[in-house]
Amino acid sequence: MHLTYFKMKHTFPLLITLLLLLSSCGSSDKQSIDSIIESQNLEVIRSKKADLISQQNEIEEEIKKLDIVISELDITKKIPLITTFKLEGSQFKHYLELQGNVTTKDLLIIYPEYSGILTQVYVTEGQKVRKGEVLAKIDDGGLSQQLSQLKIQAELAKTTFERQQRLWDQKIGSEIQYLQAKSNYESQEQAIAQLEQQVSKTVVTAPFSGTIDDVMTEKGSVVMPGQSQLMRLVSLSNMYIETEVPEKYITNITRNKTVEVEFPVLDKTMNSSVRQVSDFINPSNRTFKVEIAVPNKEKSIKPNLTAKLRINDYSNDNALLIPQSIISENASGEQYIYVIKEKTDNNEAVAEKVIIETGLTEGDSIEVIKGLEPGNEIILEGARSVNDGQKVKLINQDS
């Protein structure tokens, strides 16, 4: 107790003296600089500045030496900071993106089946018609009168045949008379049927229900089969999209595959499915045709409208997905990522390089088909700044 007091009694004045000396040195140094400035002597001022710069450089060199020693001794500074995520199986769907055009099997340009003058057009553009409805009439050139005369002759032939048949049944008359009457009657019936068929061709009817999109030939025009376009008939009920798919997808694109359909012009999207896949590969472009059904209750979708298609060509309900950004490639072309192992309680671990094989991509994600397993903890942020076997520190928010 006495010894401690003695030391404190003699040390305290010494500290006071030392502080006074330092204070006097600082004040004298300041006074010295102030006095130099007041002297306005350029040579003295430059000399003092050079001394201070020299001292500054010496101090900076000493600080650098201290930083080197600190970096060698501070182990935590060398450990890269990373974030990780745990790999789990998830649903993965890959889509093949294509472009297609809307079409319909109920789109037809109607041609006449008989030559003559178009005497009547019973419909206008935009008019809705039913299957079998009369659309136009062509002058038959007197076929109707010929048909009427044939029918009268046929009635006479029929009466003659029936009379000869009754006589023949009673064993009256010759067989040749009976056969002649029968032949004449049958010939008249065939002639009527043929002429009726010709007359029916002068009447243009709707082959299916739809809308008259365009009337191309006016009343009074001379029309000919296979040459004169009378009108265009279209139905918006049975619409579909047709597209061409590269042959490499022939095993993946099958009937009933789901399709996301977008119509950019209409700002409209819908879900549909593949309804038909062609069995023929076009040798000129190595593609096959696919039809996608298009519901069109609102009748807003028109033929030849452009559509963007996303066909689901691959699905996996338990896929291992990782971001594409964390994948690196070595000199041999192998892809690799880093996982962590030997994780400690203070969130330190060791990085391990793992060679992987990848499959299809969708957006920013890619499926890993070999090299990883569910439960692997994969380095996310900092993946490109670590090395195999290097110690790392996790800074995950949930760590």
Side-chain angles (χ1 to χ4, degrees), residues 14 107 112 134 182 190 195 197 207 220 278 315 354 361 373 379:
L14 184 61
L107 174 61
V134 177
K182 180 181 179 182
Q190 290 179 0
L195 199 55
Q197 187 177 15
S278 174
S315 298
V354 177
T361 63
E373 295 179 353
I379 296 178

Side-chain angles (χ1 to χ4, degrees), residues 275-289:
R275 78 175 189 182
Q276 183 175 335
V277 178
S278 174
D279 293 328
F280 174 76
I281 295 178
N282 189 336
S284 62
N285 57 9
R286 311 308 303 173
T287 63
F288 60 96
K289 288 187 177 180

Side-chain angles (χ1 to χ4, degrees), residues 79 342-349 391-394 399:
I79 299 179
E342 302 175 15
K343 185 177 178 181
T344 62
D345 293 338
N346 60 349
N347 287 330
E348 291 185 0
K391 185 176 285 189
V392 293
K393 186 174 181 63
L394 281 69
S399 295

Side-chain angles (χ1 to χ4, degrees), residues 153-154 156-165 168 174-188:
Q153 294 174 9
L156 178 59
K158 180 181 179 182
T159 302
T160 303
F161 167 67
E162 290 174 347
R163 181 175 297 174
Q164 287 295 329
Q165 188 176 28
W168 177 249
S174 65
E175 183 180 2
I176 191 67
Q177 291 176 327
Y178 165 72
L179 293 176
Q180 286 177 345
K182 180 181 179 182
S183 176
N184 185 39
Y185 171 62
E186 291 176 348
S187 297
Q188 293 292 336

